[in-house]
Structures are given as structure tokens and as C-alpha cells.
Amino acid sequence: MNSPVQKLREEARIFPRKRCKWPGILKLDKEHQPCVVEDISAGGCRIATKTKGLKAKAKIVLEVESRKLRFHGEIRWVRTDELGIEFLYQD
């Protein structure tokens, strides 16, 4: 069940989120690390990954090979073992 705060956040989103569990690779400069896309929308996603050294506003590439997807984006927020990404474009 969603808390009132979570519900407000979801209602404020421009694009609805879809829950998923897609394995992916997070690329930041020359560093690559495994991740799991937890939820996704047309505008961004939330991923589970090691967040040590990751900072908001960093430009990243997220690859989800099983779905043949590659997103270029920017980290918007970082929490313990998860982060939010805003998509800038897809190729």
C-alpha cells in the first residue's frame, strides 16, 4: 500500500510509472556497473544499484539489453542503493 507521500509523488508525475525488474548496465564515463530497472516511464526510471560515488546531475547511459533499449539520461536523485534517472533521449 502506498503512503500518502508516495501517492502525492505519483500523482505529480507527468508520465505514469510501470513496475518492472529489468537487468541493465549503468554507464558513467568509463565505469560500467550492473543495475536493475525497478520502474520506468516515458520520462525516466528508478534503478537499484550501488550508488557510491554517484551524484545528481551526472550524465549516464542505461542499457537494457533484454529489451534492446539504450537511454541517455541524467541522475536526478541518489539514495542508498537506488537512484532516479531522467531520460534525455533514447537511441
Side-chain angles (χ1 to χ4, degrees), residues 14-25:
I14 296 171
F15 303 107
R17 294 273 171 139
K18 176 186 173 190
R19 290 182 183 234
C20 57
K21 290 280 187 195
W22 300 341
I25 300 292

Side-chain angles (χ1 to χ4, degrees), residues 17 26 35 37 39 41 43-47 49 58 60-62 71-77 83-88:
R17 294 273 171 139
L26 180 67
C35 65
V37 180
D39 63 41
S41 73
C45 68
R46 177 174 56 92
I47 64 171
T49 191
I60 59 89
V61 174
L62 173 64
F71 300 100
H72 297 260
E74 185 172 292
I75 297 173
R76 287 295 176 203
W77 53 264
L83 49 92
I85 297 172
E86 179 182 2
F87 298 143
L88 303 175

Side-chain angles (χ1 to χ4, degrees), residues 52-71:
K52 185 176 181 179
L54 299 176
K55 302 212 182 307
K57 298 189 179 187
K59 301 284 194 255
I60 59 89
V61 174
L62 173 64
E63 292 186 355
V64 182
E65 189 173 310
S66 64
R67 303 285 175 165
K68 299 191 182 340
L69 297 171
R70 181 181 311 154
F71 300 100

